[in-house]
């Protein structure tokens, strides 16, 4: 069985934005895809390319997703060197991962 995924920026929404997250959560897609990087303060943010560490916090996406528990998320990690299973990032302590 396959899962339909709402790709970041679908249907004219801005990539990795709260506009996209809201759209995807309201859509019939079972999953949403976001790009994740480490922000300038060490928090995880939505961003495809290195943009100086600014973007929507991943924890804010998880907060919105709590309202729609049947949705899944695909986090496309853009910087592999900083992520490990023992990461202390509060975003990855969420039950969504």
């Amino acid at each position: 069985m396959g899962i339909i995924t709402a790709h970041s920026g679908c249907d004219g929404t801005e990539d990795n934005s709260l506009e996209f997250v809201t759209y995807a959560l309201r859509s019939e897609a079972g999953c949403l895809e976001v790009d994740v990087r480490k922000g300038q303060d060490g928090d995880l943010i939505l961003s495809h390319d290195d943009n100086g560490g600014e973007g929507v916090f991943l924890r804010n996406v998880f907060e919105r997703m709590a309202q729609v528990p049947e949705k899944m998320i695909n986090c496309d990690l853009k910087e592999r060197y900083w992520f490990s299973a023992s990461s202390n990032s509060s975003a990855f302590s969420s039950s969504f991962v």
Side-chain angles (χ1 to χ4, degrees):
M1 182 172 120
I3 297 173
I4 302 298
T5 300
H7 191 274
S8 183
C10 67
D11 289 342
T13 59
E14 183 180 346
D15 286 350
N16 297 303
S17 65
L18 286 178
E19 172 195 24
F20 159 71
V21 171
T22 299
Y23 176 84
L25 292 176
R26 291 179 179 161
S27 76
E28 293 186 32
C31 181
L32 62 140
E33 178 271 342
V34 293
D35 302 306
V36 178
R37 291 185 169 275
K38 194 172 189 178
Q40 57 191 4
D41 294 330
D43 290 316
L44 299 178
I45 62 168
L46 304 190
S47 179
H48 186 276
D49 300 311
D50 186 0
N51 65 359
E54 296 183 7
V56 174
F57 291 114
L58 183 58
R59 69 174 170 267
N60 292 346
V61 175
F62 288 152
E63 288 169 3
R64 287 176 184 243
M65 289 188 70
Q67 306 303 313
V68 191
E70 66 274 11
K71 294 285 184 176
M72 294 183 283
I73 188 167
N74 171 9
C75 296
D76 189 358
L77 304 176
K78 295 300 183 182
E79 299 171 308
R80 66 182 175 92
Y81 65 88
W82 55 263
F83 178 76
S84 71
S86 62
S87 174
N88 290 329
S89 171
S90 61
F92 278 100
S93 66
S94 170
S95 61
F96 292 105
V97 177

